[in-house]
Amino acid sequence: MLMQDSIDLALKMTTGLPTKLILKASAAHPKPEGVTFSYGTAGLRTKAAVLDSVCFRMGLIGALRSKRLQGKVVGLMVTASHNPEEDNGIKAVDSRGEMLEAAWEPFCTQLANASTDDELISVLESIIITFKIDLSIPATVVYGHDTRPSSPHLVKALVDGLVAFGTQLIDAGLKTTPQLHYLVKAHNTKGTPEAYGEPSEEGYYKKISQAYLKLVAGKPSLSPLVVDCANGVGAPALLAITKYIAADALPVRILRTSTGVQGALNNGCGADFVKTNQRLPIGLEKDGIEAGDRLCAFDGDADRLIYFYCNGPPSTKSSFRLLDGDKIASLATDYISELVKKADIDIKVGCVQTAYANGSSTKYLKQRVPVTCTPTGVKYLHHAAEAYDIGVYFEANGHGTVLFSPEAVRTIKAAQASPSSPAAQDALEQLEQLTELINQTVGDAISDMLLVEFILRARQWGPEEWDGAYEDLPNKLLKVNVKDRSAFKTTDAERRLTSPAGLQEKIDELVGKYKGARSFVRPSGTEDCVRVYAETALASDLDSLANGVAKLVQESSGST
Ligand code: NG1
Ligand code: ZN
């Protein structure tokens, strides 16, 4: 295209930009000085006190993204997940219910950091031109928030951004992150043959509870499950679903539900606390739990799930046993592969993990199905899982789900017309219900919990039997504060460093000194730190390796 032609086109595309309205609204949401924002592993996340302008600007992005997708509904979720209560953040949800398209992420970062009105408008213009956005298309955005005290204020800022573009608003209110993903997909598929479910919170509960009830029908009940809701939004959501599922189908004790208590969120409880510290939520041993009880924990926005139990007195630290995302992936992969075999259909099951997956889980899974390793972040796992007919993906921290390709769903439905045996028919019915039970848009603590409960019930397993699949290698995850985490660059699905120069060689040398050891280093995408992961065959080697690698990181960067 000639230079003049492209200038004319750019002018034409951006003439509809409501510059005055945007700048007027933006004046009420000034960017704090001296703060640099970055769209990380799962959106923008930092201290809530500095996020007002970011939320306003993400409102603008949401409107543009919807326009880009011909007015389809997109989602914005105000949450900082498992992070402390004083943090907050915003995650953008694309029209199929998945994470925002990665190509938009750098623009979110640029817009969040624009420090003058001119810069703000110029970033918006570059988004419009880059993605060829027709501004005359009306936008619709559904938005929700978690239980953080800062969330309602930040939602107001977000709405101001949306309104500046005349966006049609769907206020979802208090929601879990996966519920918001569900709503986006349900809105966009309503009235089509692919209708995902009623676009309402009730629709969400109905869809998954009906599938669960069909799956567990006739299968003897298990002992009650104890759930730690992290004092977050998972508490009201879990309580709500128990209205759709009677206690004999889902015997459950719901704990850590103090959503209104200041400072309680994710504090000494929740999936992240349990996984990172490899211990019970603080004080849980006094809540009347016993050895062998099935326990699980959600994170603050209920998109992560971790199971655990005690194989001795709960008051003894050594009795704690973790059933993390890797164990959930193994349980689900095993069960689903078995169903596919029984169903006698030509469907390939695969599993997706990150480098944080315990080496034992990878070994276990590889003996059963193909396994892919991706960089950290659900968007990578989700995408890789789409390559399989049925793709199970889980991060070790408990974020994950199972994806059924449209072809797999068609095959399952078609085979039901002429199953090869009664056992095949039963397996096909189970597979069909699993496509309904599992939230295929994103990891969902409640839906994943029902999946685990169903499988354990079908197998009549307690936590020990499940745990018996393989023994985790001793492992440790450390945070190292460095001056500039952007100096750390990785390759090979984040398993190796390319920068700072020479550091990887030093890590290799150190790892080589320990039996069956593995360690890798990467910058966090959600916190201002570098993470060090270490795994060893011998428990006695673990601290020495993890601390040794952390020391190398500090020496290479100059710690803060
Ligand atoms: P970062 O901070 O990039 O390591 C963490 C988790 C991710 C993912 C995101 C989003 C670990 C080691 N990292 O990312 O897996 O869940 O938060 O919440 O658990
Ligand atoms: Zn979360």
Side-chain angles (χ1 to χ4, degrees):
M1 205 187 288
L2 290 174
M3 179 88 118
Q4 189 55 46
D5 286 352
S6 38
I7 294 172
D8 287 350
L9 183 66
L11 269 175
K12 201 171 146 217
M13 291 188 77
T14 55
T15 38
L17 188 64
T19 310
K20 273 198 190 137
L21 267 178
I22 290 171
L23 291 181
K24 191 167 170 238
S26 174
H29 304 284
K31 177 185 178 288
E33 270 174 38
V35 190
T36 309
F37 301 104
S38 159
Y39 199 99
T41 314
L44 287 134
R45 200 179 287 185
T46 184
K47 295 280 160 258
V50 296
L51 270 173
D52 180 87
S53 62
V54 169
C55 285
F56 169 75
R57 294 169 188 204
M58 282 303 288
L60 302 174
I61 292 270
L64 288 176
R65 182 69 188 149
S66 171
K67 286 173 188 287
R68 172 68 185 93
L69 297 169
Q70 270 64 48
K72 289 217 175 81
V73 179
V74 301
L76 291 170
M77 177 74 192
V78 174
T79 178
S81 185
H82 58 281
N83 290 123
E85 187 169 301
E86 61 272 21
D87 289 10
N88 216 326
I90 184 155
K91 299 183 186 178
V93 183
D94 249 350
S95 61
R96 289 186 303 136
E98 75 286 32
M99 301 281 183
L100 175 69
E101 187 182 282
W104 281 60
E105 293 182 1
F107 290 97
C108 296
T109 302
Q110 276 179 37
L111 195 69
N113 291 317
S115 51
T116 63
D117 282 359
D118 284 351
E119 225 183 293
L120 185 78
I121 296 300
S122 123
V123 178
L124 289 174
E125 285 176 346
S126 75
I127 296 174
I128 294 161
I129 293 163
T130 306
F131 297 106
K132 300 192 175 55
I133 296 169
D134 178 350
L135 289 173
S136 67
I137 295 175
T140 306
V141 174
V142 54
Y143 54 94
H145 63 88
D146 68 10
T147 56
R148 287 179 159 75
S150 57
S151 287
H153 166 81
L154 293 174
V155 166
K156 280 201 188 102
L158 181 94
V159 168
D160 283 354
L162 293 169
V163 167
F165 267 116
T167 311
Q168 188 184 331
L169 308 175
I170 307 176
D171 180 1
L174 185 67
K175 288 285 169 293
T176 69
T177 294
Q179 283 175 341
L180 194 84
H181 285 253
Y182 166 89
L183 286 175
V184 171
K185 186 160 179 166
H187 274 294
N188 288 319
T189 53
K190 192 177 173 181
T192 74
E194 290 81 42
Y196 196 58
E198 269 302 304
S200 65
E201 188 174 336
E202 202 192 347
Y204 165 89
Y205 295 131
K206 274 194 192 148
K207 178 179 161 99
I208 63 176
S209 62
Q210 278 166 9
Y212 177 76
L213 288 169
K214 281 188 194 147
L215 283 162
V216 299
K219 300 196 165 54
S221 191
L222 297 174
S223 61
L225 167 70
V226 176
V227 188
D228 158 5
C229 297
N231 296 316
V233 62
L238 181 57
L239 204 66
I241 206 159
T242 57
K243 308 235 161 67
Y244 297 79
I245 305 176
D248 59 334
L250 182 66
V252 70
R253 265 184 75 202
I254 309 177
L255 302 179
R256 304 297 180 268
T257 57
S258 305
T259 52
V261 175
Q262 208 188 337
L265 180 69
N266 297 325
N267 194 352
C269 60
D272 196 58
F273 178 86
V274 173
K275 165 75 181 163
T276 315
N277 298 291
Q278 306 193 12
R279 56 156 292 174
L280 289 179
I282 292 173
L284 200 79
E285 67 281 4
K286 297 192 204 93
D287 278 309
I289 60 156
E290 288 175 11
D293 280 353
R294 238 163 41 263
L295 316 166
C296 74
F298 300 169
D299 74 337
D301 61 340
D303 62 355
R304 288 193 194 178
L305 173 73
I306 292 289
Y307 269 71
F308 47 102
Y309 71 103
C310 298
N311 63 5
S315 52
T316 333
K317 197 174 182 286
S318 60
S319 73
F320 176 83
R321 298 283 306 176
L322 186 67
L323 296 158
D324 63 0
D326 300 336
K327 285 265 161 128
I328 298 174
S330 305
L331 183 78
T333 304
D334 224 27
Y335 191 80
I336 292 172
S337 306
E338 225 174 272
L339 282 183
V340 167
K341 219 165 152 194
K342 276 193 205 146
D344 197 15
I345 45 177
D346 185 20
I347 278 184
K348 300 269 170 308
V349 182
C351 192
V352 186
Q353 301 186 304
T354 72
Y356 290 108
N358 194 278
S360 295
S361 76
T362 311
K363 192 170 157 206
Y364 175 90
L365 283 162
K366 278 189 172 166
Q367 285 160 357
R368 288 159 176 80
V369 295
V371 179
T372 316
C373 180
T374 72
T376 304
V378 176
K379 56 197 172 207
Y380 300 111
L381 289 120
H382 193 95
H383 188 66
E386 282 176 333
Y388 296 112
D389 297 330
I390 300 180
V392 180
Y393 76 81
F394 269 90
E395 293 186 309
N397 61 32
H399 187 124
T401 186
V402 183
L403 302 183
F404 294 79
S405 72
E407 186 54 36
V409 174
R410 272 194 293 276
T411 307
I412 293 165
K413 287 211 170 115
Q416 284 180 2
S418 53
S420 61
S421 66
Q425 186 180 3
D426 177 56
L428 287 164
E429 274 164 20
Q430 289 193 38
L431 283 167
E432 189 183 2
Q433 291 312 322
L434 287 176
T435 67
E436 294 287 314
L437 173 70
I438 297 167
N439 185 341
Q440 293 180 53
T441 61
V442 77
D444 181 333
I446 292 181
S447 150
D448 288 342
M449 181 193 86
L450 295 176
L451 170 68
V452 171
E453 288 300 294
F454 157 63
I455 298 176
L456 294 180
R457 203 159 159 152
R459 294 216 186 277
Q460 286 294 299
W461 274 5
E464 295 92 342
E465 283 94 344
W466 171 15
D467 197 14
Y470 60 84
E471 185 62 26
D472 270 332
L473 288 170
N475 62 90
K476 196 152 221 172
L477 185 58
L478 296 178
K479 287 183 200 178
V480 184
N481 294 316
V482 294
K483 275 200 184 109
D484 178 14
R485 70 183 151 133
S486 69
F488 290 76
K489 303 238 168 3
T490 63
T491 183
D492 186 23
E494 303 180 326
R495 287 173 287 198
R496 299 190 63 77
L497 284 169
T498 52
S499 155
L503 179 55
Q504 186 61 53
E505 288 70 24
K506 285 186 188 154
I507 296 172
D508 289 344
E509 198 189 323
L510 188 61
V511 169
K513 292 184 180 153
Y514 298 90
K515 191 177 162 224
R518 183 168 74 94
S519 178
F520 67 93
V521 169
R522 60 175 276 280
S524 162
T526 60
E527 290 173 66
D528 192 12
C529 68
V530 163
R531 297 199 198 280
V532 169
Y533 178 84
E535 195 177 275
T536 52
L538 304 172
S540 52
D541 282 345
L542 186 62
D543 283 346
S544 161
L545 175 63
N547 296 335
V549 175
K551 193 159 166 267
L552 289 174
V553 169
Q554 266 158 1
E555 285 166 1
S556 75
S557 73
S559 56
T560 51

